[in-house]
Amino acid sequence: MTFCKPYTIFLASLTALILLSGCARTTAQVQPEELLPVKTIVVLPVEIDLESQGSRSPKETQQLEKGQKLVDALLAEYFSGREDIALLTAGQRDALEKDMIRCRTTAAVTICRTQKADAVLLCTLHRFTEREGTEYSIASPASVAFEYKLIHADTGQTICSGMFNETQQPLLANMFQFFTKAKRGMKWLSAEELARDGIKQKIADCPYLKK
């Protein structure tokens, strides 16, 4: 039987990817004895990146504000049942001293001490663009970018951080992300679904935050 050339190339690429994936994902793991004694964590409300505020369209700003609320809800969902993690509301944050908002690292330390916690989680949303279309037919895909930092209370040191930045692409557009995308199925995700996937990916990388 003779296979057409594109199909042969796809099989060869997929085989190479399977062989490489075992070593490509190998990363240095933090050993338990290296972890700081973090027993309680405060999670601040998600913030919107203000640096590019002037260049955004009203539609982009509206979607970011919507995304801010959704990511807050997704973090609450992810940490549900964790008695060692407390999520502050916007009202609780705003009731704290003003300098806590101006200087985020100092804020983290002060908030942790105020709440009698060992660390604080800061999350900043840079982009939240909803897909235009349906699960199976789109004009433009969803796009989400956020970062997080976990700050140690006593030192102000960043002990964990991560960045998620993705605009969904067709399944075969990037072979090195084939297996991650395949888990999502063949559909186009909403921005909320993409953000949920990003939280599961990135938060789980932090030994203090993973379930």
Side-chain angles (χ1 to χ4, degrees):
M1 180 182 295
T2 302
F3 294 102
C4 62
K5 188 174 180 180
Y7 184 69
T8 304
I9 293 173
F10 168 70
L11 285 179
S13 301
L14 186 57
T15 302
L17 180 60
I18 292 171
L19 293 174
L20 289 171
S21 62
C23 58
R25 288 182 171 271
T26 301
T27 57
Q29 297 296 319
V30 178
Q31 300 302 314
E33 60 271 16
E34 298 174 345
L35 295 177
L36 295 171
V38 174
K39 296 182 179 179
T40 53
I41 297 170
V42 162
V43 180
L44 293 185
V46 174
E47 295 185 3
I48 292 175
D49 175 23
L50 298 177
E51 291 185 6
S52 58
Q53 187 174 17
S55 61
R56 295 190 194 113
S57 68
K59 181 179 179 180
E60 289 172 330
T61 299
Q62 185 180 29
Q63 291 197 81
L64 267 173
E65 291 172 350
K66 174 187 175 183
Q68 182 181 30
K69 295 177 182 178
L70 282 171
V71 175
D72 271 332
L74 292 175
L75 288 172
E77 177 185 293
Y78 182 86
F79 293 123
S80 176
R82 292 279 298 269
E83 295 182 358
D84 57 326
I85 296 180
L87 286 84
L88 293 188
T89 65
Q92 290 171 325
R93 179 201 58 201
D94 294 342
L96 301 172
E97 296 178 5
K98 293 180 180 179
D99 64 339
M100 295 182 185
I101 298 173
R102 288 200 300 270
C103 182
R104 296 187 67 193
T105 300
T106 302
V109 175
T110 308
I111 289 172
C112 278
R113 289 174 178 165
T114 301
Q115 299 292 325
K116 298 181 180 179
D118 300 313
V120 66
L121 180 66
L122 311 171
C123 185
T124 302
L125 185 63
H126 297 279
R127 188 176 66 255
F128 192 90
T129 306
E130 190 54 87
R131 75 176 180 222
E132 294 184 10
T134 68
E135 292 183 355
Y136 302 105
S137 177
I138 62 162
S140 62
S143 183
V144 174
F146 67 84
E147 64 178 318
Y148 77 86
K149 292 182 181 180
L150 185 66
I151 308 292
H152 189 241
D154 288 338
T155 63
Q157 173 190 359
T158 298
I159 55 177
C160 258
S161 63
M163 177 79 184
F164 179 79
N165 185 354
E166 184 178 341
T167 300
Q168 192 181 7
Q169 297 177 333
L171 184 62
L172 300 181
N174 186 335
M175 291 301 298
F176 287 97
Q177 294 183 6
F178 177 83
F179 294 110
T180 298
K181 293 178 179 179
K183 292 178 183 177
R184 300 171 177 169
M186 300 296 291
K187 69 177 184 177
W188 293 96
L189 302 182
S190 66
E192 179 179 352
E193 291 170 325
L194 190 59
R196 178 182 283 108
D197 195 37
I199 288 173
K200 289 180 179 178
Q201 285 182 41
K202 297 302 176 180
I203 299 293
D205 286 342
C206 177
Y208 301 97
L209 299 173
K210 67 181 181 180
K211 293 183 178 180

